[in-house]
Amino acid sequence: MKEYNPIEIEKRWREKWEGENRWHVDMNKAERPYYNLMMFPYPSAEGLHIGNVYAFTGADIHGRYQRMRGNDVFEPMGFDAFGIHSENFAIKKGLHPRDLTEKNVNNFRDQLKKMGALFDWTHEVDTSKPEYYKWTQWLFLQLYKNGLAYKSKAAVDWCPGCKTVLADEQVIGGKCERCDSVVVQRELEQWFFKITDYAERLLKNLEIIDWSESVKLIQKNWIGRSDGAEIEFRIQNTEYRIKVFTTRPDTLFGATYVVLAPEHDLVQELKNNIENWSEVDAYIKATQGKSELERMEVQKEKTGVELKGVRAINPATKEEVPVWIADYVLKTYGTGAIMAVPAHDQRDFEFAKEHNLPVVMVICPNYPAEICPVLDEAYEGEGKLVASGKFNGMTIEEAKSAITEYVGGVKKINYHLRDWLISRQRYWGPPIPIIYCPKCALQDPSGQGIVPVPEKDLPVLLPYVENFHPTGTDESPLATVEEFVNTTCPKCGGAAKRETDVSDTFLDSAWYFLRYPSTRSARSGQVPFESEITKKWLPVNMYIGGKEHSVLHLLYARFITMALHDIGVLDFSAQGGEPFTKFRANGLLIKDGNKMSKSRGNVVNPDEYFASYGVDVTRMYLMFLAPFQDGGDWRDEGVRGISRFAKRAWQLAEGLTLRGGSDPPAADIDMERIRHKTIKRVTQDIEKLQYNTAISALMEYVNAISNLKIQSSKQLETLIVLLAPFAPHLAEELWQATNHDDSVHDQSWPTYDEAMLKKEIITLPVQINGKMRGIVEVAADVTEDDIKNTIIHVDFVEKWLAGKEVKKWIIVPGRLVNIIVI
Ligand code: ANZ
Ligand code: ZN
């Protein structure tokens, strides 16, 4: 008997499939388009990570399954090749990012081609190629022309490690998501995208898309819708008013002071009224450069300074209250000012204790109570109003509207989501296609003199420069490249300068899935994507990828898709214009209980396993570890068990081939039930992405077949077909070995019959023309049709029926069957 030799088998099939462009899908002709997307990798110098193989395998099994269900599955792959990652690595190695990226992409592609996936390489994209980033720049221009991109000066997060500003989403716990440096605040002029215009739609649509719940929740919290009210406090003896945003207008009677953010404009405007200005000014200066995280921390000491000489009027109580500045109030949220209710807000409570400010209970948990004592901490729970005049006795919800109305406030919804900061002071990205013209600036009310690069002049090529290192100033290294910077104004022809920042890598990946399906005209540079094709192929049917992108890529991609749709350049609108109908987050792959990392030295190299155990075994092992969405713990010894399983499947098929592949004489009803049960289990598990239990079911099935004295080719065929999504090479080889001349990958996914799964089996005597000829086993609750179908295939019945015609079936349920023939 031939030995299972995965290396030889896999190489042979891989070459054949590649030569035939086997997984290519005709985008125009496909009748049942199914877009199976996975997150394209950033091509690191270390090569394909086993974590990539893990995620892609899980996604590919889904794709292969859908293909066998009769869909035209499009499974593209590409490279997220621009960005700080590549650039930082190039700096470390003293290489140029362009040379390095090219090498890495080639290496990655070779590795990915070995994965046994359905990748259609004719649709590859590489975000660092001019033919791609031309359209990233085009996209920027579309947003700019439609008022969704703007330049403004703002306090932004600066990463001293990466020497660039970062988007809000890239700061995690006050640190840079890439290099872990503590970010600092800088006042800089930057480009932003107005993602906040889409806050409500991004939130609302979460209800209609079929995504992993955990990811939806992260997005929901990130968008952070907050329903409240804006209420004004007059400043005594002035015309000024302080507008505050509050989610608890019901507590207005307990607002015993007001706090402004130190950067609030009013503070400067009230300068002449403030008696302790030097103290106030010193506090403002001390706040500068503090990160928001630092300022918002609950445990933090509550510092602040009272604005002496400034008093506000509580519009509900009409009493005077002091006005403070404190850094726990942020300029950028709400109105940058709050009414402080120490009895019911913990931060206000601590601040009040620290600075001896009055605490007044206005929500009482056990109403009606004689007295409602102040507790040791803020009371944030349910209750009814007290010490609130005519509102006493109301519930919190009733009082919210009633008090807002009473003081002339307005209901207001705020979102925590901020606009997307997209400029980066780095080299390795698409130059932002903007020109600044001093002459045009004179006519421009904003004085900015911004002139967008005309679309016909795209791409603005990223020049190949020797010194691409980040400068650490607020300018990109491109600012030092004279030939790049100096240009002429497309509007007036005068001397002008180019924008030298590049755009965020996340902009590259916010639209790559729109580019993938495009064909000739897009590829030849005429359009970014073709409307007929995107209409047909989008939204993506299934998107699988890591949870770490929950608020970065996954939010940006939704926003960009909606924006392009509204601008009128994208015309699919199913699913509320959402790009991804279904998203599932794969779990994290770890090694021996630990996170894999280079510093730990425990990174599994997929090439090693492909070369020793084979791709199919590696694929199956990865999927066998745990439910795909939970992640898995790789242990080297574990691979061997799967390798043994692959060998057993191999031997079974080999054994059958040696006997010539004939059907055994008697259909074993028990075995048939196991076969149906296996189909059901594998199908349902695949649907749920629970590949681990699907593989267990296949293992049990192999055991069951092996125990039979004689196997039928039907049993084996089912095994091979079910195995195909998991172990595509092995399955194909076995299919050929069992006398098929088509491909296992073109078989339909097998179906199962619920009736066959019923446990109880009875024996039925079978008579032919009233004479007892044998017995058959059937499920107790089987239908008459099923009995007929089962019985005519039983050997002894076939023999008696040969050459005869069935006249009549007499079936006495549960008792006997009599077949009348002539
Ligand atoms: C009075 C009050 C009483 C509040 C109470 C809360 C509880 P979310 O849910 O995150 O929107 N706030 C408003 N603007 C702020 C700013 N710029 N910096 C810091 N804090 C700010 O939070 C809204 C609440 O956070 C607001 O409601 C306000 O405090 C505070 F028992 O107003 B509240
Ligand atoms: Zn000009």
Side-chain angles (χ1 to χ4, degrees):
M1 194 187 285
K2 242 178 31 187
E3 280 275 319
Y4 172 46
N5 182 349
I7 312 306
E8 184 271 326
I9 294 172
E10 288 168 6
K11 180 166 183 291
R12 187 153 36 76
W13 286 111
R14 183 169 63 242
E15 285 169 2
K16 182 165 172 2
W17 292 334
E18 210 181 313
E20 293 170 353
N21 206 0
R22 181 72 165 81
W23 315 119
H24 177 60
V25 182
D26 187 321
M27 304 312 283
N28 292 302
K29 287 198 193 127
E31 276 165 18
R32 295 180 60 180
Y34 191 99
Y35 192 167
N36 189 42
L37 183 68
M38 46 200 101
M39 289 179 175
F40 67 165
Y42 134 70
S44 70
E46 288 88 39
L48 191 66
H49 193 275
I50 192 79
N52 295 136
V53 179
Y54 180 71
F56 297 163
T57 299
D60 181 63
I61 291 170
H62 177 79
R64 288 185 172 279
Y65 166 70
Q66 290 297 341
R67 200 172 172 282
M68 294 175 85
R69 300 284 307 249
N71 292 309
D72 295 297
V73 175
F74 175 51
E75 199 174 290
M77 188 36 72
F79 303 98
D80 191 13
F82 259 148
I84 295 180
H85 269 127
S86 315
E87 200 179 316
N88 285 354
F89 193 82
I91 293 169
K92 212 164 91 194
K93 294 278 154 178
L95 295 166
H96 194 280
R98 183 178 297 173
D99 306 330
L100 181 77
T101 300
E102 191 144 320
K103 211 177 107 207
N104 293 349
V105 163
N106 289 334
N107 181 37
F108 253 69
R109 193 188 299 104
D110 286 345
Q111 288 182 295
L112 286 163
K113 281 186 174 174
K114 287 187 193 152
M115 262 195 56
L118 290 177
F119 300 142
D120 183 349
W121 290 101
T122 45
H123 290 265
E124 177 188 327
V125 301
D126 174 340
T127 56
S128 70
K129 287 268 167 25
E131 66 259 26
Y132 184 90
Y133 72 71
K134 168 181 178 176
W135 299 110
T136 307
Q137 292 172 337
W138 171 87
L139 203 153
F140 180 96
L141 292 178
Q142 304 313 305
L143 267 70
Y144 177 73
K145 287 174 192 164
N146 287 278
L148 289 170
Y150 65 95
K151 196 174 190 194
S152 116
K153 194 171 185 131
V156 295
D157 291 316
W158 169 272
C159 171
C162 293
K163 298 196 173 79
T164 180
V165 299
L166 300 174
D168 220 24
E169 289 78 11
Q170 288 166 328
V171 181
I172 295 169
K175 291 179 177 171
C176 170
E177 58 118 10
R178 284 166 211 277
C179 74
D180 265 354
S181 308
V182 174
V183 302
V184 295
Q185 300 256 305
R186 278 198 186 179
E187 276 280 312
L188 293 172
E189 257 213 292
Q190 299 289 321
W191 281 98
F192 292 87
F193 281 170
K194 267 197 190 157
I195 190 171
T196 51
D197 275 11
Y198 286 79
E200 189 57 31
R201 229 160 109 192
L202 288 167
L203 183 68
K204 262 256 139 331
N205 277 3
L206 288 175
E207 286 163 22
I208 57 167
I209 51 182
D210 177 9
W211 282 29
S212 298
E213 284 304 322
S214 58
V215 173
K216 288 211 260 190
L217 189 65
I218 293 171
Q219 288 210 352
K220 181 170 174 234
N221 291 337
W222 185 260
I223 296 166
R225 176 177 159 140
S226 170
D227 289 71
E230 280 181 357
I231 291 173
E232 286 187 340
F233 283 61
R234 256 186 329 107
I235 299 181
Q236 190 74 307
N237 303 325
T238 71
E239 291 297 297
Y240 292 113
R241 281 154 198 278
I242 300 174
K243 194 190 272 178
V244 302
F245 172 69
T246 177
T247 47
R248 296 292 305 275
D250 54 298
T251 62
L252 183 54
F253 284 83
T256 52
Y257 59 98
V258 170
V259 188
L260 300 174
E263 308 90 330
H264 200 290
D265 291 340
L266 261 184
V267 181
Q268 297 298 329
E269 287 169 35
L270 289 167
K271 191 170 170 180
N272 293 330
N273 304 47
I274 298 171
E275 291 158 9
N276 55 338
W277 178 254
S278 60
E279 196 193 348
V280 168
D281 195 39
Y283 186 79
I284 297 171
K285 297 222 162 77
T287 309
Q288 281 165 10
K290 275 197 193 169
S291 76
E292 282 184 8
L293 190 87
E294 238 178 294
R295 292 171 59 164
M296 297 288 281
E297 223 157 21
V298 185
Q299 275 87 341
K300 128 180 203 312
E301 205 196 323
K302 298 289 179 301
T303 64
V305 179
E306 183 179 352
L307 305 183
K308 297 261 168 67
V310 177
R311 308 283 284 178
I313 308 291
N314 180 321
T317 63
K318 313 282 193 297
E319 280 167 21
E320 271 187 24
V321 294
V323 179
W324 286 67
I325 57 169
D327 64 6
Y328 80 96
V329 175
L330 303 176
K331 162 115 193 285
T332 46
Y333 185 65
T335 60
I338 66 159
M339 60 181 226
V341 185
H344 304 291
D345 179 288
Q346 189 57 25
R347 281 177 307 169
D348 297 345
F349 184 87
E350 283 161 26
F351 191 88
K353 287 278 155 210
E354 182 71 33
H355 302 283
N356 282 317
L357 291 154
V359 183
V360 177
M361 284 293 276
V362 290
I363 305 294
C364 203
N366 50 341
Y367 183 90
E370 283 301 308
I371 33 160
C372 198
V374 172
L375 309 168
D376 294 342
E377 53 179 12
Y379 176 68
E380 297 180 347
E382 288 300 320
K384 286 188 174 157
L385 269 73
V386 292
S388 299
K390 62 174 181 175
F391 303 98
N392 284 350
M394 277 192 180
T395 64
I396 293 175
E397 276 322 303
E398 285 162 355
K400 276 184 179 172
S401 342
I403 294 183
T404 304
E405 201 174 305
Y406 174 62
V407 298
V410 287
K411 287 200 171 150
K412 169 88 187 173
I413 297 165
N414 269 317
Y415 299 89
H416 282 275
L417 184 69
R418 309 278 174 85
D419 277 341
W420 176 12
L421 197 179
I422 60 127
S423 31
R424 296 290 177 277
Q425 291 72 47
R426 297 289 299 231
Y427 168 72
W428 193 232
I432 293 177
I434 288 291
I435 289 167
Y436 300 101
C437 170
K439 212 166 124 204
C440 291
L442 298 174
Q443 272 115 56
D444 176 357
S446 75
Q448 287 178 312
I450 294 172
V451 183
V453 172
E455 283 181 23
K456 66 170 174 46
D457 295 344
L458 295 180
V460 176
L461 283 176
L462 178 68
Y464 188 98
V465 295
E466 284 309 325
N467 192 5
F468 58 86
H469 291 209
T471 60
T473 66
D474 49 19
E475 284 192 320
S476 124
L478 288 176
T480 61
V481 185
E482 300 272 311
E483 313 83 84
F484 177 80
V485 177
N486 294 318
T487 183
T488 51
C489 170
K491 223 157 111 189
C492 72
K497 289 193 185 306
R498 282 188 195 283
E499 166 66 64
T500 54
D501 282 355
V502 299
S503 54
D504 183 3
T505 326
F506 282 105
L507 182 57
D508 305 332
S509 55
W511 73 281
Y512 76 111
F513 49 90
L514 301 174
R515 176 74 172 172
Y516 268 146
S518 57
T519 58
R520 256 156 291 114
S521 53
R523 299 276 152 180
S524 62
Q526 305 304 307
V527 289
F529 34 77
E530 295 136 303
S531 107
E532 278 315 303
I533 298 281
T534 44
K535 224 191 281 179
K536 176 169 179 178
W537 286 89
L538 281 132
V540 165
N541 297 77
M542 173 64 122
Y543 195 13
I544 289 180
K547 218 188 246 173
E548 66 277 16
H549 296 287
S550 298
V551 288
L552 292 158
H553 163 62
L554 286 171
L555 195 64
Y556 297 149
R558 294 180 61 211
F559 158 60
I560 290 293
T561 307
M562 288 177 192
L564 289 176
H565 184 267
D566 292 353
I567 288 168
V569 293
L570 207 57
D571 40 5
F572 69 90
S573 54
Q575 288 280 341
E578 289 284 335
F580 317 123
T581 312
K582 195 164 172 173
F583 173 80
R584 291 291 179 272
N586 60 263
L588 191 71
L589 184 69
I590 56 173
K591 169 97 194 287
D592 303 317
N594 296 308
K595 212 178 154 201
M596 269 186 233
S597 75
K598 263 200 309 183
S599 54
R600 274 209 183 85
N602 66 347
V603 181
V604 175
N605 178 359
D607 284 342
E608 238 173 67
Y609 287 87
F610 288 177
S612 50
Y613 289 93
V615 172
D616 288 334
V617 167
T618 310
R619 282 171 66 108
M620 285 194 285
Y621 178 57
L622 284 168
M623 294 303 112
F624 187 60
L625 294 170
F628 182 56
Q629 293 176 84
D630 293 356
D633 189 358
W634 176 288
R635 303 191 182 245
D636 289 337
E637 332 73 78
V639 190
R640 267 170 250 141
I642 292 288
S643 188
R644 274 195 299 275
F645 163 61
K647 278 182 193 143
R648 289 192 66 191
W650 173 264
Q651 282 158 3
L652 264 180
E654 274 281 308
L656 190 80
T657 330
L658 292 182
R659 287 195 314 271
S662 64
D663 260 319
D668 183 323
I669 198 85
D670 253 345
M671 193 54 219
E672 200 42 17
R673 184 165 3 95
I674 292 175
R675 193 177 73 84
H676 281 262
K677 208 171 100 194
T678 306
I679 297 172
K680 180 176 179 180
R681 280 175 66 186
V682 174
T683 306
Q684 293 188 337
D685 288 347
I686 288 187
E687 293 273 356
K688 287 184 284 189
L689 307 184
Q690 293 199 357
Y691 302 133
N692 59 327
T693 45
I695 294 171
S696 308
L698 288 173
M699 289 173 163
E700 284 171 36
Y701 185 55
V702 166
N703 280 342
I705 309 181
S706 307
N707 290 336
L708 297 174
K709 279 199 248 19
I710 303 171
Q711 294 99 19
S712 80
S713 55
K714 189 164 157 207
Q715 290 153 0
L716 211 73
E717 263 174 14
T718 301
L719 171 68
I720 300 170
V721 172
L722 294 179
L723 202 58
F726 300 92
H729 313 85
L730 171 62
E732 189 72 307
E733 184 74 10
L734 292 182
W735 192 252
Q736 308 299 317
T738 47
N739 300 321
H740 296 91
D741 38 8
D742 52 356
S743 164
V744 71
H745 300 295
D746 295 335
Q747 305 308 307
S748 314
W749 191 252
T751 52
Y752 57 89
D753 179 355
E754 275 303 333
M756 285 299 299
L757 304 177
K758 297 282 162 17
K759 195 91 205 119
E760 210 197 327
I761 295 297
I762 52 163
T763 53
L764 273 185
V766 179
Q767 300 177 345
I768 313 280
N769 288 342
K771 280 213 174 78
M772 196 30 203
R773 294 298 181 192
I775 52 168
V776 292
E777 288 183 321
V778 292
D781 54 353
V782 75
T783 65
E784 291 205 358
D785 277 348
D786 283 331
I787 291 181
K788 290 180 193 169
N789 287 335
T790 312
I791 286 177
I792 41 178
H793 295 299
V794 174
D795 268 357
F796 75 88
V797 180
E798 272 184 353
K799 201 179 95 197
W800 285 102
L801 295 187
K804 303 212 169 72
E805 196 189 323
V806 177
K807 264 273 153 220
K808 194 175 171 192
W809 288 83
I810 300 165
I811 299 174
V812 187
R815 302 292 297 280
L816 74 86
V817 177
N818 186 5
I819 310 171
I820 310 299
V821 298
I822 44 165

